[in-house]
PDB file of all heavy atoms in Angstrom:
ATOM      1  N   HIS A 209      -7.699 -18.477  19.708  1.00 85.00           N
ATOM      2  CA  HIS A 209      -8.807 -19.386  19.412  1.00 85.00           C
ATOM      3  C   HIS A 209      -8.231 -20.670  18.823  1.00 85.00           C
ATOM      4  O   HIS A 209      -7.065 -20.696  18.403  1.00 85.00           O
ATOM      5  CB  HIS A 209      -9.807 -18.735  18.448  1.00 85.00           C
ATOM      6  CG  HIS A 209      -9.197 -18.298  17.141  1.00 85.00           C
ATOM      7  ND1 HIS A 209      -8.877 -19.176  16.135  1.00 85.00           N
ATOM      8  CD2 HIS A 209      -8.854 -17.068  16.687  1.00 85.00           C
ATOM      9  CE1 HIS A 209      -8.371 -18.511  15.113  1.00 85.00           C
ATOM     10  NE2 HIS A 209      -8.332 -17.228  15.418  1.00 85.00           N
ATOM     11  N   PRO A 210      -9.012 -21.747  18.785  1.00 81.00           N
ATOM     12  CA  PRO A 210      -8.497 -23.014  18.248  1.00 81.00           C
ATOM     13  C   PRO A 210      -8.081 -22.889  16.789  1.00 81.00           C
ATOM     14  O   PRO A 210      -8.620 -22.073  16.030  1.00 81.00           O
ATOM     15  CB  PRO A 210      -9.685 -23.974  18.397  1.00 81.00           C
ATOM     16  CG  PRO A 210     -10.556 -23.353  19.435  1.00 81.00           C
ATOM     17  CD  PRO A 210     -10.394 -21.872  19.288  1.00 81.00           C
ATOM     18  N   MET A 211      -7.111 -23.709  16.407  1.00 83.00           N
ATOM     19  CA  MET A 211      -6.635 -23.733  15.030  1.00 83.00           C
ATOM     20  C   MET A 211      -6.713 -25.168  14.511  1.00 83.00           C
ATOM     21  O   MET A 211      -6.787 -26.127  15.295  1.00 83.00           O
ATOM     22  CB  MET A 211      -5.185 -23.242  14.954  1.00 83.00           C
ATOM     23  CG  MET A 211      -4.988 -21.812  15.434  1.00 83.00           C
ATOM     24  SD  MET A 211      -5.671 -20.606  14.290  1.00 83.00           S
ATOM     25  CE  MET A 211      -4.479 -20.675  12.964  1.00 83.00           C
ATOM     26  N   VAL A 212      -6.689 -25.313  13.201  1.00 84.00           N
ATOM     27  CA  VAL A 212      -6.639 -26.652  12.633  1.00 84.00           C
ATOM     28  C   VAL A 212      -5.285 -27.276  12.967  1.00 84.00           C
ATOM     29  O   VAL A 212      -4.296 -26.562  13.187  1.00 84.00           O
ATOM     30  CB  VAL A 212      -6.864 -26.621  11.107  1.00 84.00           C
ATOM     31  CG1 VAL A 212      -8.244 -26.105  10.775  1.00 84.00           C
ATOM     32  CG2 VAL A 212      -5.807 -25.772  10.420  1.00 84.00           C
ATOM     33  N   PRO A 213      -5.197 -28.605  13.040  1.00 86.00           N
ATOM     34  CA  PRO A 213      -3.912 -29.249  13.331  1.00 86.00           C
ATOM     35  C   PRO A 213      -2.861 -28.914  12.281  1.00 86.00           C
ATOM     36  O   PRO A 213      -3.164 -28.673  11.108  1.00 86.00           O
ATOM     37  CB  PRO A 213      -4.267 -30.746  13.301  1.00 86.00           C
ATOM     38  CG  PRO A 213      -5.729 -30.812  13.563  1.00 86.00           C
ATOM     39  CD  PRO A 213      -6.298 -29.575  12.933  1.00 86.00           C
ATOM     40  N   GLY A 214      -1.601 -28.901  12.725  1.00 91.00           N
ATOM     41  CA  GLY A 214      -0.498 -28.651  11.806  1.00 91.00           C
ATOM     42  C   GLY A 214      -0.134 -27.207  11.633  1.00 91.00           C
ATOM     43  O   GLY A 214       0.686 -26.866  10.780  1.00 91.00           O
ATOM     44  N   VAL A 215      -0.727 -26.332  12.450  1.00 93.00           N
ATOM     45  CA  VAL A 215      -0.472 -24.899  12.380  1.00 93.00           C
ATOM     46  C   VAL A 215       0.423 -24.496  13.546  1.00 93.00           C
ATOM     47  O   VAL A 215       0.242 -24.968  14.668  1.00 93.00           O
ATOM     48  CB  VAL A 215      -1.798 -24.112  12.425  1.00 93.00           C
ATOM     49  CG1 VAL A 215      -1.554 -22.633  12.637  1.00 93.00           C
ATOM     50  CG2 VAL A 215      -2.583 -24.342  11.150  1.00 93.00           C
ATOM     51  N   GLY A 216       1.383 -23.631  13.286  1.00 93.00           N
ATOM     52  CA  GLY A 216       2.235 -23.161  14.368  1.00 93.00           C
ATOM     53  C   GLY A 216       3.098 -21.998  13.929  1.00 93.00           C
ATOM     54  O   GLY A 216       3.566 -21.934  12.785  1.00 93.00           O
ATOM     55  N   TYR A 217       3.308 -21.076  14.842  1.00 95.00           N
ATOM     56  CA  TYR A 217       4.091 -19.869  14.567  1.00 95.00           C
ATOM     57  C   TYR A 217       5.578 -20.166  14.712  1.00 95.00           C
ATOM     58  O   TYR A 217       6.006 -20.848  15.634  1.00 95.00           O
ATOM     59  CB  TYR A 217       3.684 -18.787  15.564  1.00 95.00           C
ATOM     60  CG  TYR A 217       4.368 -17.456  15.400  1.00 95.00           C
ATOM     61  CD1 TYR A 217       4.437 -16.821  14.157  1.00 95.00           C
ATOM     62  CD2 TYR A 217       4.915 -16.803  16.499  1.00 95.00           C
ATOM     63  CE1 TYR A 217       5.045 -15.583  14.022  1.00 95.00           C
ATOM     64  CE2 TYR A 217       5.514 -15.556  16.378  1.00 95.00           C
ATOM     65  CZ  TYR A 217       5.594 -14.957  15.130  1.00 95.00           C
ATOM     66  OH  TYR A 217       6.193 -13.735  15.002  1.00 95.00           O
ATOM     67  N   HIS A 218       6.358 -19.639  13.765  1.00 96.00           N
ATOM     68  CA  HIS A 218       7.812 -19.769  13.812  1.00 96.00           C
ATOM     69  C   HIS A 218       8.378 -18.361  13.620  1.00 96.00           C
ATOM     70  O   HIS A 218       8.486 -17.878  12.485  1.00 96.00           O
ATOM     71  CB  HIS A 218       8.309 -20.700  12.712  1.00 96.00           C
ATOM     72  CG  HIS A 218       9.713 -21.166  12.882  1.00 96.00           C
ATOM     73  ND1 HIS A 218      10.791 -20.305  12.914  1.00 96.00           N
ATOM     74  CD2 HIS A 218      10.230 -22.422  13.028  1.00 96.00           C
ATOM     75  CE1 HIS A 218      11.893 -21.000  13.058  1.00 96.00           C
ATOM     76  NE2 HIS A 218      11.582 -22.286  13.138  1.00 96.00           N
ATOM     77  N   PRO A 219       8.712 -17.664  14.714  1.00 96.00           N
ATOM     78  CA  PRO A 219       9.050 -16.239  14.585  1.00 96.00           C
ATOM     79  C   PRO A 219      10.223 -15.943  13.671  1.00 96.00           C
ATOM     80  O   PRO A 219      10.189 -14.964  12.920  1.00 96.00           O
ATOM     81  CB  PRO A 219       9.331 -15.807  16.034  1.00 96.00           C
ATOM     82  CG  PRO A 219       9.518 -17.064  16.811  1.00 96.00           C
ATOM     83  CD  PRO A 219       8.730 -18.117  16.118  1.00 96.00           C
ATOM     84  N   GLN A 220      11.270 -16.780  13.694  1.00 97.00           N
ATOM     85  CA  GLN A 220      12.422 -16.502  12.827  1.00 97.00           C
ATOM     86  C   GLN A 220      12.044 -16.634  11.352  1.00 97.00           C
ATOM     87  O   GLN A 220      12.363 -15.771  10.526  1.00 97.00           O
ATOM     88  CB  GLN A 220      13.589 -17.437  13.157  1.00 97.00           C
ATOM     89  CG  GLN A 220      14.208 -17.197  14.515  1.00 97.00           C
ATOM     90  CD  GLN A 220      13.553 -18.052  15.599  1.00 97.00           C
ATOM     91  OE1 GLN A 220      12.517 -18.670  15.371  1.00 97.00           O
ATOM     92  NE2 GLN A 220      14.186 -18.089  16.764  1.00 97.00           N
ATOM     93  N   HIS A 221      11.358 -17.740  11.030  1.00 98.00           N
ATOM     94  CA  HIS A 221      10.972 -17.928   9.632  1.00 98.00           C
ATOM     95  C   HIS A 221       9.908 -16.923   9.203  1.00 98.00           C
ATOM     96  O   HIS A 221       9.845 -16.555   8.025  1.00 98.00           O
ATOM     97  CB  HIS A 221      10.480 -19.357   9.406  1.00 98.00           C
ATOM     98  CG  HIS A 221      11.581 -20.371   9.360  1.00 98.00           C
ATOM     99  ND1 HIS A 221      12.831 -20.100   8.832  1.00 98.00           N
ATOM    100  CD2 HIS A 221      11.619 -21.675   9.769  1.00 98.00           C
ATOM    101  CE1 HIS A 221      13.592 -21.182   8.911  1.00 98.00           C
ATOM    102  NE2 HIS A 221      12.880 -22.153   9.481  1.00 98.00           N
ATOM    103  N   ALA A 222       9.071 -16.476  10.138  1.00 97.00           N
ATOM    104  CA  ALA A 222       8.091 -15.443   9.796  1.00 97.00           C
ATOM    105  C   ALA A 222       8.800 -14.185   9.315  1.00 97.00           C
ATOM    106  O   ALA A 222       8.414 -13.582   8.304  1.00 97.00           O
ATOM    107  CB  ALA A 222       7.208 -15.139  11.000  1.00 97.00           C
ATOM    108  N   GLN A 223       9.851 -13.794  10.022  1.00 98.00           N
ATOM    109  CA  GLN A 223      10.615 -12.620   9.614  1.00 98.00           C
ATOM    110  C   GLN A 223      11.323 -12.867   8.284  1.00 98.00           C
ATOM    111  O   GLN A 223      11.371 -11.979   7.423  1.00 98.00           O
ATOM    112  CB  GLN A 223      11.631 -12.263  10.691  1.00 98.00           C
ATOM    113  CG  GLN A 223      11.002 -11.777  11.988  1.00 98.00           C
ATOM    114  CD  GLN A 223      12.044 -11.466  13.058  1.00 98.00           C
ATOM    115  OE1 GLN A 223      13.254 -11.482  12.801  1.00 98.00           O
ATOM    116  NE2 GLN A 223      11.579 -11.198  14.265  1.00 98.00           N
ATOM    117  N   ARG A 224      11.862 -14.055   8.121  1.00 98.00           N
ATOM    118  CA  ARG A 224      12.558 -14.365   6.868  1.00 98.00           C
ATOM    119  C   ARG A 224      11.604 -14.353   5.682  1.00 98.00           C
ATOM    120  O   ARG A 224      11.941 -13.847   4.598  1.00 98.00           O
ATOM    121  CB  ARG A 224      13.247 -15.722   6.988  1.00 98.00           C
ATOM    122  CG  ARG A 224      14.425 -15.712   7.945  1.00 98.00           C
ATOM    123  CD  ARG A 224      14.850 -17.112   8.317  1.00 98.00           C
ATOM    124  NE  ARG A 224      16.008 -17.103   9.205  1.00 98.00           N
ATOM    125  CZ  ARG A 224      16.357 -18.128   9.991  1.00 98.00           C
ATOM    126  NH1 ARG A 224      15.634 -19.241   9.983  1.00 98.00           N
ATOM    127  NH2 ARG A 224      17.417 -18.026  10.757  1.00 98.00           N
ATOM    128  N   ALA A 225      10.414 -14.927   5.871  1.00 98.00           N
ATOM    129  CA  ALA A 225       9.447 -14.963   4.773  1.00 98.00           C
ATOM    130  C   ALA A 225       8.999 -13.556   4.392  1.00 98.00           C
ATOM    131  O   ALA A 225       8.821 -13.247   3.208  1.00 98.00           O
ATOM    132  CB  ALA A 225       8.241 -15.821   5.162  1.00 98.00           C
ATOM    133  N   TRP A 226       8.827 -12.691   5.396  1.00 98.00           N
ATOM    134  CA  TRP A 226       8.461 -11.308   5.085  1.00 98.00           C
ATOM    135  C   TRP A 226       9.574 -10.626   4.295  1.00 98.00           C
ATOM    136  O   TRP A 226       9.308  -9.916   3.315  1.00 98.00           O
ATOM    137  CB  TRP A 226       8.149 -10.543   6.361  1.00 98.00           C
ATOM    138  CG  TRP A 226       7.841  -9.100   6.110  1.00 98.00           C
ATOM    139  CD1 TRP A 226       8.585  -8.023   6.480  1.00 98.00           C
ATOM    140  CD2 TRP A 226       6.708  -8.564   5.413  1.00 98.00           C
ATOM    141  NE1 TRP A 226       7.995  -6.854   6.056  1.00 98.00           N
ATOM    142  CE2 TRP A 226       6.843  -7.156   5.395  1.00 98.00           C
ATOM    143  CE3 TRP A 226       5.587  -9.147   4.795  1.00 98.00           C
ATOM    144  CZ2 TRP A 226       5.906  -6.318   4.791  1.00 98.00           C
ATOM    145  CZ3 TRP A 226       4.658  -8.307   4.186  1.00 98.00           C
ATOM    146  CH2 TRP A 226       4.814  -6.928   4.190  1.00 98.00           C
ATOM    147  N   ARG A 227      10.817 -10.822   4.707  1.00 98.00           N
ATOM    148  CA  ARG A 227      11.934 -10.236   3.952  1.00 98.00           C
ATOM    149  C   ARG A 227      11.962 -10.770   2.530  1.00 98.00           C
ATOM    150  O   ARG A 227      12.249 -10.027   1.576  1.00 98.00           O
ATOM    151  CB  ARG A 227      13.260 -10.522   4.659  1.00 98.00           C
ATOM    152  CG  ARG A 227      13.494  -9.686   5.914  1.00 98.00           C
ATOM    153  CD  ARG A 227      14.957  -9.698   6.333  1.00 98.00           C
ATOM    154  NE  ARG A 227      15.431 -11.037   6.662  1.00 98.00           N
ATOM    155  CZ  ARG A 227      15.413 -11.555   7.890  1.00 98.00           C
ATOM    156  NH1 ARG A 227      14.932 -10.846   8.899  1.00 98.00           N
ATOM    157  NH2 ARG A 227      15.879 -12.770   8.121  1.00 98.00           N
ATOM    158  N   ASP A 228      11.672 -12.057   2.357  1.00 98.00           N
ATOM    159  CA  ASP A 228      11.661 -12.632   1.016  1.00 98.00           C
ATOM    160  C   ASP A 228      10.560 -12.005   0.155  1.00 98.00           C
ATOM    161  O   ASP A 228      10.751 -11.771  -1.043  1.00 98.00           O
ATOM    162  CB  ASP A 228      11.480 -14.153   1.091  1.00 98.00           C
ATOM    163  CG  ASP A 228      12.745 -14.866   1.545  1.00 98.00           C
ATOM    164  OD1 ASP A 228      13.829 -14.245   1.506  1.00 98.00           O
ATOM    165  OD2 ASP A 228      12.643 -16.044   1.949  1.00 98.00           O
TER     166      ASP A 228
END
Side-chain angles (χ1 to χ4, degrees):
H209 58 76
M211 299 289 286
V212 297
V215 168
Y217 182 50
H218 195 299
Q220 292 91 349
H221 285 326
Q223 293 178 7
R224 291 165 178 160
W226 177 248
R227 286 197 298 268
D228 285 344

